[in-house]
C-alpha cells in the first residue's frame, strides 16, 4: 500500500514507519518579548519591524519541557523573515535614518565650508545650494544658507574662528559640529562614500578659486571626522583642485 502524502510531501500514513525512532529528549527554548521597534534586517535587506527577545532553555522529554537549562539571548527577531540576529544589528541605522544622517552630514559640511570661506561669492553659495539640494534638502535656498551662516557668526560661542587670532580657522565649536555629524555616519559608508562627502565640500570651496587656509583647515577636519587618514585627505583635496570645474 502506498503511503498517503500531503501537499508538501509529508507522509500522512498512520503508524510508525520502518526505521523510525522517537526522539526521547531535546532542548526547547521558550521565547519572551522584551521590546520592539524598527531595524535594518540583514536577511531581508530593508527596514523591518523587530522584537527583542530573551529565552529560557528547557530539556524536554518526549516533547514535554521538564528541566531548566539556563537562558539564551537576547536576540533580535525580524517580524518578516523570523531570522534571529545579535543585538549589535540594532547599531546599523535603518534606511530612513541613514538617509537623514547623510543629508545632515552634507548640509553641515556645506555650512562649514561657507563659514570658512565667506558667502560673498554667488558662485560659491550657488554651488553649496546645489550640493545641499542634491543631498535631500530640495527646498534649500541661498538666503537660507546665508542666514544660517550669519546666525553662526552672531553666536560668539559657536563662531568658527577667533576674529583676532586667525591661526585657528576651524574653531573648536565648528569642529565639534562636524565630528557630531560625520563620525556616526562614517562606519556605515564605504570608502568611496566617505570620499564623496569630502569632495562635495571641496567643490564648494573651489567654486571661486583655490582653497583659502581656512577652507583647507575645515576640509581637513571633515576628512578626519570621516575616518580618512591625513594623507588620503590631502591627496583627494589636491586631485579636486586639479580637476577643471
Amino acid at each position: 500500500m502506498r503511503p498517503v502524502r500531503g501537499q508538501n510531501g509529508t507522509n500522512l500514513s498512520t503508524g510508525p514507519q520502518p526505521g523510525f525512532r522517537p526522539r526521547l529528549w531535546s532542548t526547547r527554548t521558550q521565547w519572551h518579548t522584551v521590546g520592539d521597534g524598527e531595524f535594518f534586517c540583514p536577511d531581508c535587506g530593508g527596514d523591518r519591524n523587530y522584537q527583542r527577545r530573551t529565552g529560557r532553555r528547557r530539556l524536554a522529554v518526549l516533547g514535554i519541557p521538564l528541566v531548566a537549562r539556563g537562558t539564551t539571548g537576547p536576540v533580535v527577531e525580524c517580524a518578516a523573515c523570523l531570522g534571529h540576529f545579535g543585538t549589535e544589528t540594532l547599531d546599523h541605522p535603518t534606511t530612513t535614518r541613514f538617509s537623514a544622517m547623510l543629508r545632515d552630514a552634507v548640509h553641515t559640511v556645506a555650512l562649514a565650508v561657507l563659514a570658512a570661506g565667506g558667502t560673498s561669492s554667488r558662485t560659491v553659495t550657488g554651488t553649496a545650494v546645489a550640493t545641499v539640494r542634491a543631498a535631500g534638502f530640495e527646498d534649500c535656498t541661498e538666503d537660507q544658507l546665508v542666514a544660517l551662516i550669519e546666525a553662526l557668526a552672531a553666536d560668539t560661542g559657536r563662531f568658527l574662528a577667533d576674529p583676532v587670532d586667525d591661526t585657528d580657522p576651524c574653531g573648536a565649536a565648528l569642529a565639534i559640529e562636524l565630528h557630531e555629524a560625520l563620525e556616526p555616519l562614517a562606519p556605515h559608508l564605504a570608502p568611496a562614500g566617505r570620499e564623496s562627502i569630502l569632495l562635495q565640500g571641496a567643490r564648494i570651496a573651489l567654486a571661486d578659486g583655490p582653497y583659502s587656509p581656512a577652507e583647507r583647515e575645515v576640509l581637513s577636519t571633515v576628512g578626519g571626522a570621516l575616518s580618512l587618514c591625513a594623507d588620503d585627505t590631502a591627496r583627494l583635496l589636491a586631485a579636486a583642485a586639479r580637476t577643471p570645474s
Side-chain angles (χ1 to χ4, degrees):
M1 177 176 134
R2 288 187 177 181
V4 180
R5 297 185 180 274
Q7 293 181 351
N8 61 356
T10 304
N11 192 337
L12 300 180
S13 300
T14 58
Q17 302 301 306
F20 172 78
R21 283 189 176 184
R23 189 171 183 179
L24 296 179
W25 63 272
S26 61
T27 300
R28 293 192 173 185
T29 302
Q30 295 177 318
W31 294 102
H32 303 278
T33 301
V34 296
D36 56 23
E38 188 179 48
F39 82 131
F40 181 87
C41 176
D43 283 358
C44 294
D47 295 347
R48 299 291 187 270
N49 292 326
Y50 75 86
Q51 291 182 325
R52 185 185 177 104
R53 313 191 79 186
T54 59
R56 287 184 176 276
R57 292 179 300 198
R58 288 184 178 275
L59 181 65
V61 179
L62 294 176
I64 302 174
L66 296 176
V67 183
R69 296 295 299 272
T71 60
T72 186
V75 298
V76 174
E77 181 182 279
C78 176
C81 69
L82 302 182
H84 283 188
F85 310 95
T87 55
E88 68 275 4
T89 307
L90 300 179
D91 294 335
H92 192 291
T94 63
T95 302
T96 302
R97 176 59 183 153
F98 178 78
S99 297
M101 292 170 67
L102 185 60
R103 180 189 62 205
D104 292 344
V106 173
H107 187 260
T108 302
V109 170
L111 285 177
V113 174
L114 287 178
T119 58
S120 59
S121 170
R122 295 297 298 272
T123 303
V124 171
T125 55
T127 303
V129 167
T131 301
V132 172
R133 285 179 176 173
F137 286 107
E138 298 178 358
D139 297 332
C140 177
T141 65
E142 289 188 38
D143 289 342
Q144 289 175 348
L145 290 183
V146 171
L148 286 172
I149 297 301
E150 290 175 349
L152 179 66
D155 186 351
T156 56
R158 295 163 62 87
F159 190 61
L160 78 158
D162 185 333
V164 176
D165 180 9
D166 61 0
T167 61
D168 180 24
C170 185
L174 184 56
I176 291 173
E177 292 285 340
L178 288 169
H179 281 278
E180 288 180 346
L182 301 177
E183 283 184 347
L185 178 65
H188 307 294
L189 286 172
R194 288 181 273 133
E195 292 176 1
S196 175
I197 293 177
L198 175 66
L199 291 174
Q200 289 179 70
R203 284 191 286 271
I204 296 172
L206 293 167
D208 64 343
Y211 305 114
S212 69
E215 289 170 338
R216 185 177 290 278
E217 180 67 19
V218 165
L219 291 169
S220 295
T221 301
V222 169
L226 288 169
S227 299
L228 296 171
C229 70
D231 288 345
D232 285 343
T233 297
R235 173 181 57 80
L236 290 165
L237 295 181
R242 293 192 300 267
T243 303
S245 58

